[in-house]
Amino acid sequence: MNKALVALYARVSSGQQVKNGTIGSQLAAIKDRIREDGHVLPDAMLFIDDGVSGATLIRPQLERLRDYAAAGDIECLYILSPDRLDRKYAYQALLMEEFSACGVEVIFICHTPGDTPEDMMLLQMQGMFAEYERAKIMERNRRGKLHGARCGNVGVLSGAPYGYRYIRRQPDGTPAQYIVNLHEASVVRKIFSWAGIERLSLGGVVRRLAEKGIESATGKPGWDRSTVWGMLKNPAYKGLAVFGKTKNCAPRPRVRAARNSADILKNGYSVIRSKPDDGIGIPVPAIINSALFLTVNEQLEENRRHARQGRRGAAYLLQGLTVCGHCRYAYYGKKVSKSAAKGGAQYSYYHCTGTDAYRFGGIRVCDNKQVRTSMLDETVWAQVIALLSEPERLKKEYEQRLTQASEHSGQTADAERLKKQENQLNVGRSRLIDSFAEGLIGKTDFETTDQSDDAQAGGTCAPESEGETGHREPA
């Protein structure tokens, strides 16, 4: 066997396992087995998913491994055990069938390989037991945490917000508890006082924190508005921490991946806020009184109502959709002030969020240039018109993806993704019809022109590439 065609796959499912370095024991055992078999493992053939759940089939390194296998670059794949490949039996069987079709021999260190019906049955049973074990562990943890929360056990929270210090359960049986951090608690009282008594906005609170030189919980000179909002909404400061403020749900659609995060969700689910009545209150030491907490939240609600009344709708076509190629922050639209406008004309630019020094404690994290909104909007809109004028091209692309999905019917994630794309196309079509009905778009925008007319007008045909239909390059 060609030694260059050997690969390794390892996975740990939780952040705690990543922190404790349990992935190292897997790698050591697999590498020892590879050396015993007389193979050499190239550095590029290590596929490691750190902190990725085995309940989802979409994992960054597993996706890369499957691409390598489909290209014929792997002949022998080493894995510690079947449950490291996947915790769900159905997904495990799908991957084994896929690797077999690609000519990849899968070797489990903790499982004796074999092609007999008995060996295959044992492998399938291990997969089912791994899925059952995972479900039982999750159920035990859920019931145990619910019972602990109802008994007032702070240990189910596993951490403390800014202003407290979390003390773990001690060997002598002393339960976990919150201890007030005097310095941070004084900052918390100031924030609530500024927002509730002086009626400062979130931006005003952030600016005052910067003026007084108060660092954030992570040691940064600048505070983020969302951080301050989360503190003002946290009932733990009035003496009642809440267990179950969030819950997991099916992956929600995203316009784009968050900054410094993977395009594919590690855990295969999204986290959303629960209803206020669904949480369980746990008594903790109070930093502020309940009356001030209620006053602050009434002020936040009032600010929200005023913000909604003053909202004028979406003023910029690509705001939040365009991403900076340097710092990965999103671009936002901003008008030029009348005093700075040349010739009195009103125009605007797309700015990179990273160029705003006030957001980062007075220090810019990016020096990318701004882009005139009219120029970028016209360029993107011209590409949209070009695509809409070629319905056969869109139909061909859609049918091609449907064909690919039917070939891999077991991959439910791909089918769901195509269904979402279909829904998005239907929504876009409805919006175009509404725009035509309201007179925002004329009939000429929908008419197609042949190539000769475009050549006479000096236009160019849009290149027929998948990247133009399904990929957006950052600015």
Side-chain angles (χ1 to χ4, degrees):
M1 181 182 296
N2 191 340
K3 297 180 180 179
L5 301 182
V6 175
L8 173 156
Y9 180 76
R11 178 188 64 82
V12 291
S13 57
S14 66
Q16 186 68 24
Q17 290 176 316
V18 176
K19 183 178 179 180
N20 294 336
T22 57
I23 193 73
S25 60
Q26 292 188 44
L27 296 177
I30 299 175
K31 289 181 179 179
D32 290 342
R33 175 63 181 274
I34 293 176
R35 283 192 293 266
E36 292 176 3
D37 292 347
H39 299 306
V40 176
L41 178 66
D43 294 337
M45 290 300 178
L46 272 72
F47 304 89
I48 304 172
D49 279 317
D50 280 0
V52 183
S53 173
T56 175
L57 192 61
I58 304 178
R59 292 170 244 156
Q61 291 301 312
L62 180 60
E63 291 286 293
R64 192 168 70 93
L65 172 63
R66 296 168 69 182
D67 291 340
Y68 271 73
D73 295 335
I74 300 175
E75 289 185 1
C76 188
L77 175 63
Y78 285 83
I79 307 175
L80 181 66
S81 60
D83 65 324
R84 295 300 91 193
L85 178 61
D86 208 292
R87 281 280 190 177
K88 287 190 175 182
Y89 165 69
Y91 289 165
Q92 188 182 115
L94 173 66
L95 292 173
M96 292 296 296
E97 181 179 355
E98 179 179 326
F99 289 143
S100 177
C102 296
V104 178
E105 179 187 0
V106 181
I107 298 178
F108 297 108
I109 306 301
C110 300
H111 174 74
T112 303
D115 297 330
T116 64
E118 292 79 7
D119 293 330
M120 296 301 298
M121 182 183 68
L122 179 60
L123 178 62
Q124 295 172 3
M125 291 178 63
Q126 287 182 343
M128 289 186 289
F129 284 137
E131 183 175 357
Y132 173 75
E133 178 189 14
R134 176 182 179 274
K136 292 297 293 184
I137 290 175
M138 292 180 62
E139 178 61 19
R140 292 192 191 104
N141 288 338
R142 187 189 69 84
R143 287 190 289 107
K145 287 186 175 181
L146 283 175
H147 176 73
R150 294 190 181 104
C151 295
N153 185 3
V154 178
V156 299
L157 301 174
S158 304
Y162 182 84
Y164 296 97
R165 188 162 59 93
Y166 178 75
I167 304 298
R168 285 186 171 185
R169 183 177 182 272
Q170 301 302 309
D172 59 0
T174 304
Q177 56 183 325
Y178 277 6
I179 301 296
V180 176
N181 185 313
L182 297 180
H183 171 69
E184 294 182 354
S186 64
V187 177
V188 172
R189 294 189 186 98
K190 291 177 182 178
I191 292 176
F192 274 87
S193 176
W194 295 337
I197 299 177
E198 300 185 28
R199 304 288 183 175
L200 292 182
S201 63
L202 295 179
V205 173
V206 170
R207 287 189 291 270
R208 184 166 294 186
L209 288 170
E211 293 172 358
K212 293 184 176 296
I214 300 176
E215 296 183 347
S216 66
T218 57
K220 296 180 180 179
W223 290 67
D224 192 83
R225 287 174 170 81
S226 61
T227 302
V228 176
W229 182 87
M231 293 175 61
L232 297 176
K233 298 290 290 185
N234 193 344
Y237 295 120
K238 67 174 182 179
L240 192 67
V242 177
F243 172 78
K245 291 188 296 185
T246 60
K247 62 181 180 181
N248 301 336
C249 67
R252 305 181 71 181
R254 300 185 299 174
V255 176
R256 57 180 175 83
R259 181 177 178 269
N260 294 333
S261 65
D263 294 335
I264 301 175
L265 296 176
K266 279 189 174 183
N267 297 321
Y269 58 81
S270 298
V271 179
I272 61 176
R273 287 187 171 272
S274 304
K275 297 180 180 179
D277 298 336
D278 293 343
I280 301 175
I282 302 176
V284 296
I287 295 180
I288 63 171
N289 57 62
S290 300
L292 179 58
F293 183 84
L294 180 61
T295 301
V296 168
N297 279 266
E298 289 176 352
Q299 180 64 31
L300 292 177
E301 181 62 23
E302 183 180 350
N303 293 344
R304 185 187 67 85
R305 289 197 300 267
H306 288 321
R308 291 180 63 88
Q309 291 174 1
R311 189 175 298 170
R312 300 180 180 177
Y316 304 98
L317 178 65
L318 304 176
Q319 178 165 307
L321 300 177
T322 310
V323 181
C324 177
H326 292 173
C327 64
R328 308 304 301 173
Y329 277 106
Y331 270 66
Y332 69 95
K334 184 178 181 181
K335 289 185 178 181
V336 176
S337 62
K338 295 182 179 180
S339 59
K342 297 180 180 179
Q346 289 292 325
Y347 51 91
S348 56
Y349 287 90
Y350 285 118
H351 288 262
C352 172
T353 306
T355 60
D356 295 334
Y358 72 91
R359 299 178 186 268
F360 308 96
I363 302 175
R364 298 174 59 176
V365 298
C366 182
D367 57 355
N368 206 356
K369 296 182 179 180
Q370 57 189 9
V371 183
R372 181 75 75 88
T373 56
S374 58
M375 297 176 60
L376 187 58
D377 289 349
E378 290 175 1
T379 301
V380 173
W381 182 246
Q383 294 181 358
V384 172
I385 294 298
L387 290 175
L388 292 176
S389 64
E390 302 179 30
E392 292 297 327
R393 177 181 172 187
L394 295 176
K395 181 180 179 181
K396 181 179 178 181
E397 176 69 19
Y398 180 67
E399 292 177 348
Q400 180 180 357
R401 298 192 182 190
L402 284 179
T403 303
Q404 294 175 353
S406 61
E407 293 176 355
H408 304 281
S409 58
Q411 301 180 15
T412 56
D414 291 342
E416 292 176 357
R417 190 181 304 111
L418 289 174
K419 185 64 177 178
K420 292 178 181 178
Q421 291 177 359
E422 181 184 9
N423 295 336
Q424 291 175 356
L425 289 174
N426 292 334
V427 172
R429 183 179 60 184
S430 300
R431 289 178 177 175
L432 287 173
I433 294 175
D434 294 340
S435 300
F436 177 78
E438 295 176 2
L440 300 178
I441 301 177
K443 182 179 178 181
T444 56
D445 294 330
F446 292 90
E447 295 177 352
T448 59
T449 56
D450 53 20
Q451 187 173 359
S452 61
D453 294 339
D454 290 340
Q456 294 175 2
T460 57
C461 295
E464 294 198 6
S465 62
E466 182 180 353
E468 192 169 341
T469 61
H471 182 66
R472 182 182 66 253
E473 290 293 336

